[in-house]
Amino acid sequence: MTERWALAPTEHGGADIAPLAPDGRPKAPVTHEPDLEEAVRTRPEATRWVWRDTHTVYPRLLAAGIKIDRCYDIEAAETLLLAHEGRHGEPRSAAAALARLRGGPVPPDPPPRTADPASQSSLFEPRPPVDVPLTDLLDVYADQQRRHTTTAHPDRLRLLTASESAGMLVAAEMHAAGLPWRADVHRALLTELLGDRYAGGGEPRRLAELADEVSAAFGRRVRPDLPADVVKAFAQAGIKLTSTRRWELETVDHPAVKPLVAYKKLYRIYTAHGWSWLQDWVRDGRFRPEYLPGGTVSGRWTTNGGGALQIPKVVRRAVIADPGWRLVVADAAQMEPRVLAAISRDPAFMEVAAQDGDLYQSVSDKAFSGDRGQAKIAVLGAIYGQTSGDGLKNLALLRRRFPRAVAYVDEAARAGEEGRLVRTWLGRTCPPAVNAADQEEAGIPQDDPEGPSSASSSTYGYASSNSRARGRFTRNFVVQGSAADWALLMLAALRRELDGMAGELVFFQHDEVIVHCPQEEADRVADAIRSASGLAGRLTFGQTPVRFPFTVATVECYADAK
């Protein structure tokens, strides 16, 4: 039987706690405990803890050696509920939710935490305290339970808020465990790629040499790290560029292109994962970023500093398991097309997604005369909105064979263009307008020539965009967001499967997980990942024939997984 307890930290390390009745109200008086950790440790009967914010509580428990089974994160739930009600961007704190409930002035949210890589333990320090007594917090909790019941699919939305809370637990546990990282290997790698560092903090030798080659090719000094300077230099050479992206540079016949492309690749490593990054972020053989579940509008995760979700393959050579241990690296195969099959309920598309094999090949056999390349272009074009030129022809063939699948994303695009709210399968909701960062996340090209693919707390605010752009975003949102819903439940299921093993979840991004485990546990971990994938598919989408297979590799070094 599920025993729910509510908890609110108090000053001087204590906590107010209370057991909850099925309706979410206290079934006994609120009591004060002088030690938060002991309050949890001495109540093993509590199978779900209700609290304001996982970031405020759970790292403290983990530091004391306490892992909990389940929680309900009130502020995470408030974010999802506000968006579902078409109120995305309103303050999401428990204090704001309480003020709305009681008709008082709504306080703004406190500023987001700032990552301090020099002291990674500070990543999970509580935000400025907000005075929400436990009895008031439970009023907010009860109201959230009521708001769930007013939705079209309350069971789905309840599952989403529960899985988002589970994701918060996973994120805290991954931060505590850390990704194994060999600083000595990383340093050797940087010297191999970038050369020796010069005294005084200038660029390393190889970057300086490439910068000289670029300047020599133009016949004047050019800063290859400044896109405007590069575009201007090409213009003076009679070549018009709109950006310095590699794909555009490689269409140009000029002697500066080769060293410039090489410079940009190495410069990215130097600035994003160079010596300074290593000094700031790796401690005691572990890289511990702060993961932010639901950091983007589609539900995909981001990180608060550290660039954990953008580790170049060459840098992955430094991610090495401990002696006697292994990294079990699992990649979900062709996840988004499989999600489209599940949410569209297209019988023919579900049939091709019911096999573990190559989905694109199966689509090509049914609709493209065995041309896998054209089939892949068609499927991704339907999801991402390539509906002109060859994409339009391919989409017509796809629509003829899989009408319900194409109609599903067409309707999502139409709803987006009309300004309607658009939801994932479980109810995560796209706001009425999306910004450039959201569109780039979905794979929609942007005009910004050098805009990095990153998302931060700024993605909680949304600038206006034209209706066509929003339609392209919502076309992808229903698939990508539903995939994020599935991934949350997969992580929650895998966390349970690993219970009792020494192996730990140490990394997650979009459709990939890494478990660090003793070598003898590797086969059991691989089986656990596959089992979690199947369970997540059933929980998220119900009984469908669609399968969500993982490609699993057991390696000592992350770079060897692909």
Side-chain angles (χ1 to χ4, degrees):
M1 180 179 176
T2 299
E3 283 282 343
R4 286 180 295 172
W5 282 69
L7 176 153
T10 58
E11 291 183 344
H12 310 300
D16 289 336
I17 66 170
L20 301 182
D23 63 359
R25 296 292 184 179
K27 63 180 181 181
V30 172
T31 60
H32 177 73
E33 298 284 346
D35 187 283
L36 183 151
E37 290 83 353
E38 280 303 301
V40 175
R41 194 194 310 272
T42 55
R43 287 171 176 81
E45 71 276 14
T47 55
R48 187 190 300 272
W49 285 92
V50 175
W51 50 47
R52 188 194 80 192
D53 177 10
T54 303
H55 289 298
T56 305
V57 180
Y58 198 38
R60 286 179 55 182
L61 298 178
L62 289 173
I66 303 168
K67 293 183 72 171
I68 69 162
D69 187 25
R70 287 180 288 180
C71 79
Y72 181 95
D73 188 310
I74 285 175
E75 293 191 347
E78 188 67 14
T79 302
L80 295 171
L81 287 165
L82 284 172
H84 198 278
E85 294 159 357
R87 302 162 68 185
H88 198 103
E90 292 189 23
R92 58 180 287 274
S93 71
L98 181 65
R100 278 190 293 268
L101 179 62
R102 296 183 176 172
V106 178
D109 286 340
R113 292 179 308 279
T114 300
D116 179 6
S119 177
Q120 289 191 40
S121 63
S122 70
L123 286 174
F124 281 104
E125 286 296 315
R127 291 174 292 180
V130 180
D131 185 16
V132 182
L134 184 57
T135 52
D136 291 339
L137 198 65
L138 290 177
D139 285 343
V140 172
Y141 175 61
D143 183 59
Q144 287 184 347
Q145 302 311 298
R146 178 195 61 78
R147 289 156 68 191
H148 279 83
T149 66
T150 65
T151 63
H153 300 284
D155 289 343
R156 291 187 194 177
L157 191 58
R158 286 193 191 97
L159 184 59
L160 178 63
T161 53
S163 62
E164 192 89 331
S165 294
M168 297 293 179
L169 296 177
V170 171
E173 290 169 1
M174 289 200 305
H175 172 83
L179 184 64
W181 203 284
R182 285 277 298 276
D184 58 333
V185 173
H186 192 152
R187 281 190 287 268
L189 170 66
L190 293 175
T191 301
E192 172 191 332
L193 294 174
L194 302 171
D196 299 326
R197 288 184 288 176
Y198 294 126
E203 288 184 343
R205 174 178 52 80
R206 183 57 184 146
L207 284 180
E209 292 171 349
L210 288 169
D212 288 342
E213 290 181 38
V214 171
S215 295
F218 284 116
R220 71 172 182 84
R221 190 65 186 168
V222 175
R223 289 277 304 275
D225 58 322
L226 298 178
D229 203 17
V230 173
V231 170
K232 181 179 178 181
F234 274 112
Q236 290 174 342
I239 299 170
K240 184 178 180 180
L241 294 177
T242 61
S243 76
T244 59
R245 292 189 184 277
R246 187 175 70 177
W247 65 266
E248 188 170 0
L249 288 173
E250 290 177 343
T251 66
V252 172
D253 183 14
H254 190 279
V257 170
K258 184 176 180 180
L260 182 58
V261 170
Y263 179 95
K264 286 170 63 66
K265 181 178 180 180
L266 292 179
Y267 185 76
R268 173 64 179 167
I269 293 172
Y270 172 59
T271 56
H273 292 93
W275 288 278
S276 294
W277 180 92
L278 181 62
Q279 180 177 354
D280 288 343
W281 286 97
V282 176
R283 292 282 188 280
D284 303 320
R286 293 292 186 271
F287 169 39
R288 292 185 171 89
E290 179 188 10
Y291 298 91
L292 302 177
T296 63
V297 66
S298 72
R300 282 189 168 188
W301 290 25
T302 59
T303 58
N304 187 10
L309 305 186
Q310 297 173 334
I311 304 174
K313 184 170 183 180
V314 66
V315 176
R316 295 175 189 179
R317 286 158 52 182
V319 182
I320 299 174
D322 292 344
W325 287 52
R326 293 293 183 268
L327 301 172
V328 180
V329 183
D331 236 337
Q334 301 163 334
M335 179 174 67
E336 289 190 355
R338 294 175 183 277
V339 167
L340 175 57
I343 61 180
S344 68
R345 296 303 206 256
D346 186 302
F349 206 41
M350 287 194 292
E351 181 182 340
V352 300
Q355 308 300 319
D356 288 351
D358 186 344
L359 180 144
Y360 297 124
Q361 186 61 55
S362 297
V363 170
S364 72
D365 292 342
K366 289 185 176 294
F368 293 88
S369 303
D371 189 333
R372 183 187 184 278
Q374 291 299 309
K376 182 175 181 179
I377 290 172
V379 172
L380 296 181
I383 294 173
Y384 288 92
Q386 183 187 357
T387 55
S388 61
D390 288 342
L392 188 61
K393 176 183 176 182
N394 292 330
L395 189 62
L397 289 172
L398 194 73
R399 182 179 283 111
R400 191 174 304 129
R401 190 65 183 84
F402 308 108
R404 290 179 63 177
V406 178
Y408 195 94
V409 287
D410 283 348
E411 170 56 25
R414 186 160 45 250
E417 291 175 1
E418 295 172 358
R420 289 183 273 150
L421 294 177
V422 179
R423 311 190 197 283
T424 65
W425 185 257
L426 292 186
R428 191 183 302 271
T429 305
C430 182
V434 292
N435 66 7
D438 300 322
Q439 294 178 46
E440 186 167 357
E441 174 212 347
I444 298 173
Q446 299 300 306
D447 296 331
D448 177 10
E450 292 298 313
S453 177
S454 63
S456 65
S457 59
S458 65
T459 60
Y460 286 105
Y462 297 91
S464 62
S465 59
N466 63 59
S467 61
R468 184 178 178 187
R470 184 171 188 266
R472 292 185 67 194
F473 181 82
T474 53
R475 170 185 291 275
N476 176 258
F477 171 83
V478 293
V479 179
Q480 189 181 96
S482 296
D485 295 348
W486 168 85
L488 276 174
L489 285 162
M490 182 275 297
L491 287 173
L494 179 56
R495 180 175 180 261
R496 282 181 168 271
E497 292 277 351
L498 294 176
D499 190 35
M501 298 190 205
E504 296 179 306
L505 260 168
V506 293
F507 187 72
F508 165 67
Q509 64 168 358
H510 313 326
D511 56 1
E512 180 181 71
V513 294
I514 300 179
V515 176
H516 186 222
C517 67
Q519 183 174 354
E520 60 271 18
E521 281 187 357
D523 289 344
R524 288 178 61 199
V525 168
D527 289 341
I529 292 170
R530 296 186 181 100
S531 176
S533 171
L535 177 58
R538 295 189 295 274
L539 288 174
T540 308
F541 306 114
Q543 292 298 327
T544 77
V546 178
R547 292 179 59 82
F548 298 91
F550 270 94
T551 300
V552 181
T554 299
V555 296
E556 292 184 62
C557 175
Y558 184 20
D560 295 336
K562 296 180 182 178

